[in-house]
């Protein structure tokens, strides 16, 4: 019925991964490699907490 806080934090850390493509294609913004790397590192860090 309820999800653990680790599962919730994993889904919340995926938000930048989903926002980056929308900002590129819809708003025609330039997204730096640093921003993409930061989003990937955030997801990787949260997934490490689940182990």
């Amino acid at each position: 019925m309820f999800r653990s806080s680790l599962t919730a934090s994993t889904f919340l850390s995926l938000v930048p991964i989903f926002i980056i493509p929308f900002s590129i294609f819809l708003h025609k913004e330039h997204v730096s490699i640093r921003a993409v790397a930061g989003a990937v590192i955030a997801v990787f860090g949260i997934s490490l907490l689940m182990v």
Side-chain angles (χ1 to χ4, degrees), residues 16-43:
I17 298 293
F18 292 127
I19 294 297
I20 288 174
F22 284 114
S23 66
I24 291 172
F25 294 118
L26 294 179
H27 297 290
K28 307 291 189 232
E29 292 182 14
H30 174 72
V31 177
S32 67
I33 294 174
R34 193 172 175 184
V36 174
V40 170
I41 290 170
V43 172

Side-chain angles (χ1 to χ4, degrees), residues 35-51:
V36 174
V40 170
I41 290 170
V43 172
F44 182 70
I46 295 296
S47 66
L48 280 177
L49 290 175
M50 292 185 69
V51 174

